[in-house]
Amino acid sequence: MIVRKLSEAKLQGRSVSAEGWESNRLLLKSDGAGFSFHITRIFKDAVLHMHYQNHIESVYCISGFGEIKDVASGAIHPIEPGTLYILDKHDKHILRAFEEMEMACVFNPPLMGREVHNAEGAYGLAAEVIV
């Protein structure tokens, strides 16, 4: 059994941040569950161009408001508390935060822990990650 507290993530070295976001990574590849689980804050006015080429991501909005744009179709979907979106086809997307958003995120394959987005807006696979 694994039990962790969000309030302890920074103390345990499980917090990662970059321009526009901060992620507290509560479950990682080393935990052996087959996926990773994070609580991520997207800062107000952030505009993040992302393309998870190596991962499937599921995101649930806990708080805040924004939108996600599917780059391929141009479709824009509002994000608000209770919204779930899944990037099941390695979708290129743009996430905009109109106010700070708190998101619960699941990645498969799981992240190692220290990843930040590369130039394409993706996380590398374990063999490509420099920790």
Side-chain angles (χ1 to χ4, degrees):
M1 178 182 296
I2 299 169
V3 177
R4 297 211 170 97
K5 294 184 180 182
L6 180 60
S7 62
E8 298 172 354
K10 283 186 182 182
L11 299 173
Q12 297 169 342
R14 292 176 170 272
S15 184
V16 178
S17 62
E19 187 171 339
W21 60 271
E22 176 184 67
S23 182
N24 291 291
R25 296 170 175 182
L26 300 175
L27 187 70
L28 297 169
K29 182 176 182 165
S30 61
D31 295 312
F35 62 93
S36 59
F37 180 83
H38 320 164
I39 299 295
T40 300
R41 287 187 311 132
I42 309 296
F43 302 131
K44 181 181 181 192
D45 298 324
V47 178
L48 305 173
H49 295 253
M50 295 181 277
H51 179 204
Y52 294 124
Q53 301 155 335
N54 303 311
H55 298 86
I56 302 296
E57 183 190 26
S58 176
V59 180
Y60 178 81
C61 181
I62 299 167
S63 65
F65 295 93
E67 66 183 21
I68 187 168
K69 179 179 182 178
D70 180 333
V71 172
S73 71
I76 296 174
H77 306 277
I79 303 296
E80 60 188 26
T83 302
L84 172 75
Y85 66 87
I86 303 162
L87 303 163
D88 61 329
K89 295 179 177 57
H90 307 286
D91 314 85
K92 288 184 180 181
H93 61 287
I94 301 169
L95 184 62
R96 290 184 174 88
F98 301 134
E99 63 183 49
E100 184 172 290
M101 297 190 295
E102 185 175 35
M103 317 289 261
C105 308
V106 175
F107 280 88
N108 186 12
L111 298 187
M112 301 289 290
R114 304 304 305 165
E115 295 91 337
V116 295
H117 301 105
N118 64 22
E120 288 79 40
Y123 294 138
L125 289 173
E128 302 169 344
V129 175
I130 298 172
V131 180

